[in-house]
Amino acid sequence: MTALKKTEQDTFDTSWAEFGIDGMTCASCVGRVEKAIAAVPGVKTANVNLATERATVSYSDPSVADAVIEAISKAGYEPRIETRELHIEGMTCASCVSRVEKALSAVPGVLQANVNLATERATIRFTGGDVSALEGAVRKAGYEVIHPREATAGPEPDRKEQELKALGRSLAFAAVFTLPLFVLEMGSHFIPAIHVWVMETIGMEENRYLQFALASLVLFGPGLRFFQKGVPNLIRWTPDMNSLVVLGTSAAWGYSVIATFFPDVLPDGTENVYYEAAAVIVTLILLGRFLEARAKGKTSQAIKHLIGLQPKTAHVERDGEFVEVPVADVRRNEIVRIRPGEKVPVDGTVVDGDSYVDESMITGEPLPVKKAAGSEVVGGTINKTGSFTFMATKIGGDTLLAQIIRMVEAAQGSKLPIQALVDKVTGWFVPAVIAAAVITFAAWLALGPDHALTYALVNAVAVLIIACPCAMGLATPTSIMVGTGRAAEFGILFRKGEALQSLRDVNVVALDKTGTLTKGRPELTDFDVAEGFEKTEVLRLVASVEAHSEHPIAEAIVAGAKAQGIGASIVTGFEAKPGFGVRGTVEGREVLVGADRAMTAAGIDVSGFTIRAKELGSLARSPLYAAIDGRLAAVIAVADPIKESTPEAIAALHALGLKVAMITGDNSHTARAVAAQLGIDEVVAEVLPDGKVDAVKRLREGGRKVAFIGDGINDAPALTEADVGLAVGTGTDIAIESADVVLMSGELTGVPRAIALSHATIRNIKQNLFWAFAYNVVLIPVAAGVLYPWNGTLLSPVLAAAAMGMSSVFVLANALRLRTFRAA
């Protein structure tokens, strides 16, 4: 869709971009689009091709891409925008994230670039086309783009597992050579016997040569990874976490080499060696990264669990018999057999047989669901005791499980507004640390006590090593990963990661009544007969007449009769009068069913059921009457019953301190009755389907933040208008697409659970950010030696390395606490 290049002869460095455009049908469209683009400040030329549906635009400032897209939209056409995801290897800290984002954003045509350190992915919105320019920008910044193997090519080795094993081997190698080095140097200082043994058996000079060999093995063996990343970034003047390690360890090792081989060039009394510091720093940082990698693996367990739900094979009917084939080979409309205990491989519709299926891994609801002919089944769910066959309707990336995985991955890769502060800091953090180290060295050299060079070196190295941009980079994304993963286990899918933060600020939860608070289908709730009539007989006569009506209330009465084993009889003379009711003759008996006005019109007195009718009305049930042969026989109530989980959900929302509002098309009396029954705080009644957006706007008055929960097509605009839209997963695709959060179970208990999880996640992020910033703000000055004038406190580079490694581990461990989240 887009090709991007720069002309070599243009002194203004003109950029060219191609924008795909939908909706153009004629030459007039071409002229209109060209005119709109040309009017954008900064655009030099605009040429539109109707056949290819592309606009070729030249401009001097790449930042006008957004304005070009807006101009195309305002002209009445649809610019094609792509979203791509790149897997990036080599990022270690928040500075790396900032660097990659800047590199990607500088590519002409890129509208937005978000990089996530925890998932090691970049999500790019751009004007489309070849991604080679994006990959080139990442590589130029010093990182590598990884292309995961396609699913059809077989299982991809777990790259993270391989990295963890490689880190483990490097750590073991470093530890084997660092331990004797540490004993030789530090043991000689603190244990006289070791000092004597070293002097008598090895000798002072030979001891230094041995330490040089051991430290060099560690530094340029397992520690080479830091040089491979850190040195190029230093050369590019874009230092990162690896650069700090390189500077710190190289300073300690280089000074020691001079003290060992050229001691005469150093001032008297400063010919000390710090080989053990360089080696221990490398070993401890490798330990920190090993623990960090292990913890990172745990943060992505939710995705691994979801991927693991799909079975590897399926039993498909081919040529009259069932054969076992890989899931990837299942085709639409094929018949698949499921036996007891097996997993459903793809989505489909039951053709034959019946069973109970455990859908808890998708919906979060523990009770198995009955499946029979015509029922929908979902890939990844587990069949219990029965056996059935079903027709595959969705396969591969179209299955619900695949969509859920994509939703969770998208949410985990998103950035929250709270991340903005980190992004501002990380751009200058590492250069600032290097500057602090230089100032520390100069200050100690100028103002330090005797042997000031030694103090200057040790404290400057400590400053370089203790700084931890890793913790800042991991603080937000790891909490998002674990939080959204935990939500998925509850059947709560965050389609947009931003909703995690937005939900926390909600003041009012607005609920659509039909299908959300209620089951969405009328049911027969009451059937009281007058004296002299037998209930079963009256219900049989009434159901027989109603069976000829298409009204939802009629369907509810017929379904209620069937549930009691009562069948319908033959009806003659059926007649329906809209707004009144129905009548017909059953076995020679005249049956009339309808509202009170139908009875009045027929001259039948309903006063005998007046009190009962008022009781039913107060319960939000619509009373009807039945008359047989001109006599009042029964009062009937049909209602859309409240879901069993609704009262519990509303109580939980109140416990969170939230106001609950109901938006409904019902009349005010019925709406107030439902609200009183459930303890709902606010009611917006008699709302037409297209009036829900205005209702949401009214609820937002006074600066309140509103979350709207709905399930139908007519709820989609309100879901979009609300600060946070939550769609019931059993609702329509349009409603789900318009929502920020999807409740897969269809139960309202997911709403307070989602809000509580939002509170827990944001609280966890704030804890992480506080630690990450407080750690650096407090310990960098300590490492520089600010406490030395008061109490003589100095921080060893070895302790600095340990503190830096544990800082990232602390952030990850804190984020992992969200895995134990339990809604109240």
Side-chain angles (χ1 to χ4, degrees), residues 430-720:
V430 173
V433 170
I434 294 174
V438 171
I439 293 170
T440 299
F441 184 88
W444 278 97
L445 195 60
L447 307 172
D450 292 341
H451 311 307
L453 180 61
T454 299
Y455 283 98
L457 175 72
V458 170
N459 291 320
V461 169
V463 169
L464 290 169
I465 297 303
I466 203 164
C468 190
C470 308
M472 289 192 291
L474 292 168
T476 301
T478 49
S479 296
I480 294 173
M481 282 184 70
V482 181
T484 53
R486 184 61 174 153
E489 293 174 13
F490 287 126
I492 302 165
L493 301 181
F494 285 86
R495 293 187 68 250
K496 299 175 185 174
E498 297 87 344
L500 260 176
Q501 185 166 343
S502 304
L503 261 181
R504 172 183 165 274
D505 301 324
V506 162
N507 310 113
V508 180
V509 176
L511 303 149
D512 176 54
K513 184 177 86 73
T514 305
T516 303
L517 287 170
T518 65
K519 293 182 178 179
R521 56 183 184 277
E523 291 182 5
L524 179 63
T525 57
D526 300 270
F527 197 94
D528 299 338
V529 295
E531 191 174 344
F533 289 90
E534 199 272 319
K535 182 176 180 179
T536 303
E537 176 66 10
V538 175
L539 181 54
R540 181 180 70 84
L541 296 173
V542 169
S544 298
V545 175
E546 292 286 15
H548 289 261
S549 172
E550 296 178 351
H551 196 282
I553 289 178
E555 292 176 3
I557 293 172
V558 172
K562 283 183 179 178
Q564 297 181 38
I566 300 171
S569 302
I570 298 173
V571 177
T572 58
F574 175 80
E575 179 187 350
K577 189 176 182 181
F580 283 80
V582 295
R583 65 167 66 239
T585 303
V586 184
E587 299 170 355
R589 306 183 72 178
E590 193 71 28
V591 180
L592 172 65
V593 184
D596 52 0
R597 53 183 171 272
M599 298 296 142
T600 302
I604 298 170
D605 182 18
V606 297
S607 59
F609 281 125
T610 300
I611 295 175
R612 181 58 176 152
K614 286 183 179 179
E615 290 175 355
L616 294 172
S618 66
L619 296 173
R621 299 173 186 173
S622 307
L624 301 172
Y625 301 91
I628 298 175
D629 293 332
R631 292 175 56 207
L632 184 64
V635 62
I636 307 164
V638 171
D640 185 1
I642 301 293
K643 289 180 180 177
E644 290 81 358
S645 61
T646 296
E648 177 191 347
I650 290 173
L653 289 170
H654 282 144
L656 290 170
L658 301 170
K659 294 289 184 182
V660 181
M662 180 178 72
I663 299 176
T664 177
D666 290 350
N667 63 61
S668 297
H669 178 75
T670 303
R672 282 197 297 271
V674 173
Q677 183 181 345
L678 295 173
I680 290 173
D681 305 296
E682 300 180 44
V683 176
V684 185
E686 300 179 24
V687 176
L688 297 174
D690 59 355
K692 291 182 180 179
V693 169
D694 291 331
V696 170
K697 288 179 178 177
R698 288 204 300 274
L699 290 171
R700 197 188 274 136
E701 289 174 358
R704 299 193 299 181
K705 300 289 185 181
V706 176
F708 179 78
I709 297 93
D711 71 328
I713 292 174
N714 61 2
D715 292 327
L719 287 166
T720 304

Side-chain angles (χ1 to χ4, degrees), residues 405-429:
I405 290 171
R406 285 198 297 272
M407 281 188 199
V408 174
E409 285 181 334
Q412 290 185 341
S414 61
K415 279 196 174 186
L416 303 192
I418 199 172
Q419 178 77 9
L421 176 61
V422 178
D423 292 341
K424 288 179 182 177
V425 170
T426 52
W428 53 262
F429 180 79

